[in-house]
Each structure stands twice: as C-alpha cells, then as structure tokens.
Amino acid sequence: MATSLSGTDVVIVGLGAVGGVAALPLARAGLDVIGIEAGSWLTARDFPPDELRNNVRGWPQAVQKANTEIPTHRRNASAPYSPRPSVHPMMNGVGGTSVHYWAQSWRLNPWDFKVVSETRRRYGAHRIPHGSTVEDWPFGLEELEPYYELVEREVGVSGQAGNIDGAIDARGNIFEGPRKRGYPMPPLRGSEFTDMMAGAARRLGWHAFPGPAAINSQTYDQRAACFYHGYCARGGCPIDAKNSTAVSTIPKAQATGRLKITTQAAVTRVEVDERTGRVTGVTYIRGGQEYFQPAEVVLLASYTYENVRLLLLSKSRAFPSGLSNNRGQVGRHYLSHFQGMSVSALFPFNVNAWYGLPAQGAAVDNWADDNFDHSGVDFIGGGNLWIYSDRRPIQAANMNTFGKAPNWGSAWKSFVRENADRWNTAYIQKTTLPYEDNFLDLDPVVKDPLGFPVIRITADYKENELKIGAFVQDRMEQWYREAGAIAIDRGPAGIMGPSTHAYGGTRMGDNRETNVVNRFGFSHEVPNLGVLGASVMGTSGAHNPTLTAQALAWRTADHLARNWSSIANG
Ligand SMILES: Cc1cc2nc3c(=O)[nH]c(=O)nc-3n(C[C@H](O)[C@H](O)[C@H](O)COP(=O)(O)OP(=O)(O)OC[C@H]3O[C@@H](n4cnc5c(N)ncnc54)[C@H](O)[C@@H]3O)c2cc1C
Ligand code: SF4
C-alpha cells in the first residue's frame, strides 16, 4: 500500500536537461513544484578526469537505474534482436544527462520545423520519402526563438551568432534562422587543429564556424570559465564550467523556495481519476517503499524511452492501452539521430588534439538541412559536419589502422606509437525522419528488476538516411583531404539501437489522431498531463537536440503558468 503524501501544484518526473529547465519558470511563477528524480546529487568529487571510469566502465553516478532498463532493439517486426548494449547512454542524477553530455547547444534550422511544406514547395510532394510519417511542426522557428534565448541565458551558452534579425555575420552560422540577440558568451576558443580544418573549409569555399556550447568561455553566473583540459565527454565538470541544469536552472529554481527535490525516487506509474480521466499524481518507489505524490499537474521529463514507458505502463479503465494512448500514438513516430556512416582521417603530421573537449570545434553547415539545392540529388535533408579536439589515451590506442598495419602485435604497437596523434574522426549528424514502421513499445519478455517491461525499439535507417550518409561522407572526405589527410576510413551505418538522441514517441502536433501532445506539450487526451523532452519532437534536423528540447520545456512551463487555472482545474 503506497503512502500518500501531501499534494503539490506540479510534479516533474525527472530533473534532467529538460525537467531541470521547466522547474525554473514554474517556480518563478509562484507554483509549488516537486521534482522526483531517480538519481542523486553529484558533486565535483564525482568528476575525476578518468577515462577508464567514465568512458569504459560506464558513469560515476551512485544510482544506475538507466542501466537496468536498457531498451531492446530489432530492425523490424520480424527481425531477431540486436545485441543489447551493457551500458545505457543516459545518466541518473540531478541534472540528468546534462551533467556529462558534450554540451553542444544548437538551435534547429527554420527548415526543420517545415519539412513537409518546404519540400513540397521547393521540390514537389513526391520528394517526401515513402512511408515517412513526417509532419510540419505546429509552429515555426519564430515561435520558439524567445524560448531559445531564455535558455541560452539562464543555462549559459557560448557561441557566435550568424544571423541577428536578418543581419548575417560570417563569423557565425550564416544558415541559422534569425535571432533577436547574440549569445551571452563568446564562443569557446579554437585549437590548432580546429583552426587548420576551418582554413581548409574556407579554401573549399565552405563556411566554417565555431559551434555553440553550454560551456562557459568566460566567468558566467559566478561559475568559472572552461580550462579545456578535456575528459568531460561522458564526465562531469569539476569546476562547473559545463552548464548542466544541476548547476544552472535547478539551483535558481530552488532559490525561489518553490522547488523541492526528492532524489533516488523512481516513478513507476502516473495515476488517473477514472471518472474524469485526469491525472491525480504519481506513484514512486524510494528505499523499497511505495509513495503516492498527489499533484494538480504532472509533467513527464524522464527522457524519450522512459516517457513512453511510463505512459504505456500507466494503464487504467479510462486508458486501457496506456495513458494518453486511446488513439494508439504513444511510441509512434520514433526516430533516433543518424550518427553512423562516420568518417576518419589519417594525417602525415601530428594534429595536437590531446587537449580540448568535444564541444570545442568547427562546424560546416553547407550540407545540412535544406541549405543547398536538392534538385539534383535523390534525398531530402543533410548533415552537419563537426570536427573537434578531444583525445584520451585509451581512445587514442583504439585508433583505426587505415589498412596500414595489423590490429595486434609489434607492427600494430609501432603504428599506434607513431600515429596516435595523427588521426581524427568527424561527428556527422544527419537528418532522420519518422517512418510508419519505426516505433517503440513494451518488450513482451525483457523486464527491469522491478518486473516492469523495458522499452523495445523496432527501427531501422531507411533509404533517405542512407543516401544522406553517403553524400555527407563524400563531403567530409573532401574536407579532410583538403586539410592534408593521406587516408580515409568510412564507417558503416550501424543499427538504430538505444540512442542519446531519441525523438518522438509522444509527438507534438495539432492533429490529435496522429500526435500525443498538443502544440504546448500537453496531452490531447489528458489535459493536466504534459510531456517534456525530445519525445515531443517530430523531426531531428542535423543538430543535437537538447537546446531545442529545453526551449520547448520552458515554453510548456510558461504556457502552464499563464493558463494555470484552466489546465489545473479543468
Ligand atoms: C555522452 C553524451 C553526450 C551528449 N552530448 C550532447 C550534446 O553535445 N548536445 C546535445 O544537445 N545533446 C547531447 N546529448 C543528449 C542529451 O544528453 C539529451 O538530449 C538530454 O539530456 C535529454 O534531456 P532529458 O531531460 O530528456 O533526459 P535526461 O537529461 O537524461 O534526464 C532525465 C532524468 O529523468 C530521470 N528519470 C528517468 N526515469 C525516471 C523515473 N522513472 N522516475 C524519476 N526520474 C526518472 C533520470 O534520472 C534523469 O535525471 C548527449 C548525451 C550523451 C549520453
Ligand atoms: S574541459 Fe572545460 S567543461 Fe570540460 S571538464 Fe574541463 S573545465 Fe569542465
């Protein structure tokens, strides 16, 4: 029997990158918020620069809930299961995965909001890939722009603007949509390697620029500037220069006195009043005990897989197929960013990439989104080319031998000794679309230690994604060769398994027949249930998701605060 606690205005399930942002506008609006977080607080002592600990053995957090519920994967409904990874990509802790993410903080491109209408307008309806369920977002970039700016300022983002109110600045991304103001901090500095690559891009006539990062390039909000020592690609920052929500928006929300945080508490169910069909609160397990936390409004912010899982697990007479799933849309329109088909290069000289961090790099967006004319190609979308400075010893020794040496023995050792600082792998994020046969559901067999089914991913990259992959691999090879590379290795597509960039499953849109939440992130079927995170996004664009998911979370929270009585009281 669950212990029933005193009620609150809003419960946020998960205080990660997006829940940790939404708490701030709600608390500032005077609402009482309880954040129920599966993980614990982490401190600088949890963040040693230890590659073995962080990158090889998993993460330093005390609570490893995510690792007990790693989704299963199969390529299609009749395919066998793919091998299941031993480590879940995401973090349990206050601040969630923003504690140890790379912190690249991109806005989406205007095209990403209007893929269907812009493709039809420019190339014809027949260019929408067969079987894709892609829809235009219910609004354009201009609607999200003020929220992007709020998050950039409250979290703290470094970068160089490329388009302020239509005035193009070639030091930044000339393809970005108009913004009202520049970034609150200048960009992270380049390195010898990123400067060399930016020069090569310019010689090709391409536009290279420093990417935006939620990392302090100077003292910001009384937190130190980054000192570029690295080891934070899957590690936290010991000096709080990386702006996770644990050091930015969450403490600001706590300072209002309106946010209370319950840590090491795993929500297992969202409860419903069968009579009204409204949510009444959540049940969670903490220290082996079950509690019921009543709330006027529940916001799910537990990352795409857990958002979908909690909805599907919360069955009731009013919602026999899972909460907010009477139209069968929960789990559909799933996609994960296509990051396979990598490109690595070998240089005949040292590139000095021993220091630095993955968010410190040079980007080329000439081949992203619809930034180039697609009339002569047979796909839509594209890829962001990103090269960066970050090399750790174990990673270096794992280098590709580019067919020039065996993978063992003394010939391998001498090749690695000579070339460990002469190679680089680009990070290329490509447009990925939703398709009717890519979806999430509950695994019929595999369960977590509490006995609840884990998420099953049924998904594969389709022709459009594979064509983008081949196209941008050509462009990346061209870029590396221009910079002096003497050998190139192209990686395979890989499988669409558990991902750090998982989208959809609770898609946002005006049409309640094809979307779970409305344009403000509230359920079409349950008016006092909101969903935060990339699970509401119907397109990925060619850039990392977090800043967009955070801007959407702020917008949902803002909408809730402005419309409190109609949402909370029905
Ligand atoms: C190594 C790495 C690098 C990345 N780099 C970037 C990058 O450079 N740029 C970028 O944009 N994105 C990046 N990402 C992705 C980014 O981390 C995610 O987009 C972002 O964290 C998602 O935010 P979220 O709040 O939805 O999930 P999270 O930040 O993971 O937060 C979810 C929270 O919910 C909690 N939770 C889960 N289940 C429950 C439950 N049942 N009850 C209570 N609490 C629960 C978790 O403990 C967690 O704290 C990276 C990810 C990884 C792993
Ligand atoms: S490189 Fe910068 S952000 Fe990363 S841990 Fe060091 S100081 Fe922090």
Side-chain angles (χ1 to χ4, degrees):
M1 179 74 180
T3 304
S4 195
L5 305 167
S6 342
T8 188
D9 292 333
V10 184
V11 153
I12 303 180
V13 180
L15 272 193
V18 301
V21 158
L24 181 56
L26 293 173
R28 281 186 180 158
L31 293 167
D32 285 323
V33 181
I34 294 184
I36 302 183
E37 168 50 51
S40 56
W41 281 99
L42 300 169
T43 68
R45 296 177 73 87
D46 296 299
F47 307 136
D50 183 339
E51 184 184 14
L52 191 59
R53 183 180 191 236
N54 297 349
N55 301 75
V56 180
R57 293 184 178 150
W59 303 307
Q61 75 271 36
V63 175
Q64 297 268 357
K65 173 178 172 288
N67 282 340
T68 67
E69 59 199 30
I70 298 168
T72 56
H73 172 263
R74 53 185 184 160
R75 282 185 184 272
N76 57 59
S78 46
Y81 278 18
S82 313
R84 200 168 168 219
S86 56
V87 173
H88 194 294
M90 308 310 275
M91 158 73 92
N92 297 122
V94 175
T97 312
S98 73
V99 169
H100 74 170
Y101 77 152
W102 288 12
Q104 289 185 276
S105 291
W106 295 94
R107 294 179 174 205
L108 283 186
N109 186 296
W111 181 78
D112 303 320
F113 295 78
K114 303 280 173 204
V115 168
V116 175
S117 52
E118 280 300 296
T119 300
R120 275 197 196 128
R121 184 187 66 77
R122 216 171 155 187
Y123 311 110
H126 66 287
R127 294 292 298 274
I128 304 292
H130 178 69
S132 176
T133 57
V134 64
E135 290 182 358
D136 278 355
W137 287 42
F139 49 81
L141 169 68
E142 62 290 346
E143 167 70 24
L144 205 55
E145 202 281 332
Y147 299 99
Y148 272 131
E149 184 181 322
L150 278 164
V151 176
E152 284 168 354
R153 268 155 223 285
E154 295 291 0
V155 166
V157 177
S158 310
Q160 172 61 57
N163 179 349
I164 298 187
D165 265 340
I168 302 297
D169 185 336
R171 292 171 303 166
N173 182 7
I174 57 172
F175 299 104
E176 78 169 333
R179 47 165 64 242
K180 286 271 170 282
R181 293 207 279 170
Y183 289 94
M185 285 177 274
L188 295 170
R189 68 170 162 75
S191 68
E192 183 186 332
F193 171 65
T194 63
D195 291 349
M196 176 190 86
M197 289 296 293
R202 281 191 285 274
R203 288 198 298 281
L204 289 168
W206 303 351
H207 186 80
F209 61 95
I215 292 178
N216 294 344
S217 58
Q218 58 192 33
T219 304
Y220 191 78
D221 265 358
Q222 298 172 335
R223 291 191 304 281
C226 173
F227 56 80
Y228 302 93
H229 82 304
Y231 290 89
C232 58
R234 280 201 183 181
C237 175
I239 60 164
D240 293 346
K242 189 198 282 190
N243 293 322
S244 79
T245 54
V247 299
S248 56
T249 49
I250 293 172
K252 290 180 194 180
Q254 284 181 302
T256 66
R258 296 286 185 176
L259 171 66
K260 292 199 177 61
I261 302 176
T262 305
T263 58
Q264 302 196 43
V267 171
T268 52
R269 212 180 135 76
V270 184
E271 304 294 348
V272 169
D273 179 333
E274 297 281 6
R275 197 177 41 82
T276 61
R278 296 171 62 81
V279 295
T280 55
V282 298
T283 296
Y284 67 83
I285 295 180
R286 184 169 199 265
Q289 296 294 311
E290 200 173 54
Y291 297 89
F292 170 60
Q293 175 59 64
E296 302 296 328
V297 173
V298 171
L299 298 178
L300 288 185
S302 52
Y303 191 55
T304 295
Y305 300 123
E306 187 71 342
N307 283 353
V308 169
R309 191 165 83 124
L310 285 173
L311 290 177
L312 293 179
L313 286 175
S314 300
K315 291 185 178 142
S316 60
R317 276 200 302 279
F319 299 99
S321 309
L323 189 55
S324 193
N325 195 28
N326 286 349
R327 290 171 180 79
Q329 292 301 304
V330 174
R332 305 216 71 96
H333 319 295
Y334 170 75
L335 58 125
S336 63
H337 234 166
F338 186 24
Q339 298 167 331
M341 299 185 79
S342 61
V343 183
S344 301
L346 181 68
F347 292 90
F349 46 80
N350 288 347
V351 296
N352 282 327
W354 292 107
Y355 64 98
L357 58 155
Q360 178 196 12
V364 165
D365 258 8
N366 292 64
W367 314 108
D369 302 309
D370 200 29
N371 297 345
F372 61 103
D373 185 1
H374 286 62
S375 309
V377 295
D378 55 357
F379 58 85
I380 58 169
N384 160 271
L385 311 183
W386 176 250
I387 56 88
Y388 58 97
S389 204
D390 163 60
R391 177 159 305 134
R392 290 157 266 116
I394 299 170
Q395 176 203 28
N398 268 335
M399 72 174 291
N400 192 308
T401 51
F402 295 87
K404 294 179 183 296
N407 287 326
W408 70 92
S410 44
W412 171 77
K413 280 187 197 163
S414 98
F415 181 87
V416 170
R417 206 173 293 122
E418 187 178 339
N419 293 290
D421 188 38
R422 295 183 169 198
W423 64 279
N424 186 258
T425 297
Y427 184 53
I428 311 177
Q429 298 185 83
K430 299 168 271 294
T431 309
T432 317
L433 298 174
Y435 293 89
E436 55 199 13
D437 50 356
N438 284 350
F439 61 92
L440 305 176
D441 64 0
L442 294 176
D443 195 293
V445 178
V446 182
K447 298 195 168 32
D448 71 12
L450 293 172
F452 297 114
V454 303
I455 281 290
R456 174 174 65 179
I457 303 168
T458 302
D460 206 358
Y461 301 114
K462 310 287 185 185
E463 218 180 308
N464 194 66
E465 285 70 41
L466 298 175
K467 285 176 176 168
I468 295 174
F471 178 85
V472 294
Q473 277 184 322
D474 286 347
R475 297 295 162 289
M476 195 60 231
E477 171 162 359
Q478 204 182 345
W479 190 9
Y480 275 138
R481 296 251 184 228
E482 179 62 32
I486 51 169
I488 295 290
D489 180 80
R490 294 175 176 227
I495 59 163
M496 211 168 162
S499 171
T500 58
H501 295 188
Y503 304 81
T506 67
R507 191 171 69 175
M508 167 182 63
D510 289 337
N511 184 350
R512 57 193 295 140
E513 300 301 325
T514 56
N515 295 288
V516 175
V517 297
N518 66 20
R519 57 173 54 218
F520 292 107
F522 283 87
S523 162
H524 279 297
E525 299 179 6
V526 191
N528 61 339
L529 171 71
V531 184
L532 310 176
S535 62
V536 306
M537 293 168 63
T539 59
S540 67
H543 299 93
N544 313 56
T546 308
L547 188 81
T548 301
Q550 290 177 318
L552 287 168
W554 193 299
R555 183 171 174 274
T556 294
D558 188 43
H559 177 75
L560 174 58
R562 287 172 196 268
N563 298 278
W564 175 253
S565 52
S566 64
I567 294 172
N569 307 322

